[in-house]
Each structure stands twice: as structure tokens, then as C-alpha cells.
Amino acid sequence: DQQVKQNSPSLSVQEGRISILNCDYTNSMFDYFLWYKKYPAEGPTFLISISSIKDKNEDGRFTVFLNKSAKHLSLHIVPSQPGDSAVYFCAASASGGSNYKLTFGKGTLLTVNP
Amino acid sequence: NAGVTQTPKFRVLKTGQSMTLLCAQDMNHEYMYWYRQDPGMGLRLIHYSVGEGTTAKGEVPDGYNVSRLKKQNFLLGLESAAPSQTSVYFCASSYRPQQRQGPSSYNEQFFGPGTRLTVL
């Protein structure tokens, strides 16, 4: 049973517009969420994170929103740039003894067209 | 700092052959992890280590063994490779997460560039 779901395998947007990547989770014990970005033939790199005590975290062009009641988070990229084209993974962790463990979604391939 | 490095970058094996993937990190991280990434499956944890000399099973450990003889190195072994082990393997490392109640402490994992393994 998938605990972190990214239901859109791919997303295509125009340069300069907003990209919105979505992620849903089922485990109510998750309280920390991360987004990773992955280019082809490279390892994932950390992008932005959010704790469950917040509903928004912003870092430059990237903003993550968390809706705990809906168990949903989203990553907004504004404005989108061609260099943002990559696979984006949503990941979640829970407090307690297993807080080292990250559960990943399957990823969304973002393509930003010039 | 090199961060997390993996050796080799590519490898082709025949069914039944064995090999070892090497991961090294120079960030003095306590925790290290091995993941595999398959098309449409995301990243799945194979084994992990919370410190030198300790290892534990992750989500998909069958067919793999690991060792952490030195803090900076984490080895992933395939004793008898199978076509189902064709995948891209990523190593990652992180600091020990703070143990506390409430939302998890920041737990960024740093990933290596990956090893693409094909088993024929």
C-alpha cells in the first residue's frame, strides 16, 4: 500500500508560468515532508521541506504548501524555468524511533518548455 | 568535499554472478542508506546503517547484503545476481536525526550519483 502518492506521472508547463506538483499521503504519523529534485543520470538533491507545524514554507521560487486535514501537499514553482525540468519526488517521515526513514512517492516528471 | 560517491557508475552482470557496490561519504554522517529506483516505483529502501558496525533491513532487502566496517563506507553486495535486480542503485547519508517528540527534526539525506546495474 503506497503511503505517499504522486498521482501525476508528468507535467508540462510553459516557461515563466507556475508549476504545481501535488503529493498525497495516507499515514497520519507523517509529520515532516521533503521535496527532492532529480536530473537524469544524477542522484536526487534536496529542494525544500516543511514541518507539520507549518502550512507553508518558501524558498525563492519554490513554495511548499501543506494541508494536514486533507493529507495533501503541493510544490509551487514560480516562475518556471527550463532548468527546472526534472523528476520531483515527494518524501515523508514520522517522529519517533524511525524518524530517519523517508517514504518516497513515485515521482513527477516536470518539463518546462521555452 | 566530494559528498557521496558511488563506485562503479555502470555494471553489467550475468545471472548468478556476484558484485559489490561501494558508497563513500566525507560528511561524517552517522546514517547511510541504500535505495533502488525502478521505473514507476520511486525510491525503495534496501538496507540502512545507523552507525559503524551496524546494519538493518529496509523495505526490499532480499537478495542483498551490506556491511559498514568504516563510518564513511557502506557496501552493498549481490551474492547471486538475478534479472529482477536490474535497477539504478542510490546510496545516501544523513546526520543522526534528533530524537524528540513532535515533528521530525530536519533529516535531509544526501544522495550519490547512482549505479546503473543490468543483470542479463
Side-chain angles (χ1 to χ4, degrees), chain A residues 32-36 46 48-49 89-93 102, chain B residues 107-108:
Chain A
Y32 202 87
F33 304 90
L34 305 90
W35 285 93
Y36 279 83
F46 170 75
I48 192 169
S49 63
F89 290 101
C90 173
S93 73
L102 290 180
Chain B
N107 186 32
E108 177 188 350

Side-chain angles (χ1 to χ4, degrees), chain B residues 9-24:
Chain B
K9 287 185 169 52
F10 305 93
R11 186 73 184 268
V12 178
L13 290 179
K14 294 181 179 179
T15 297
Q17 287 185 316
S18 63
M19 78 162 295
T20 300
L21 282 68
L22 172 63
C23 175

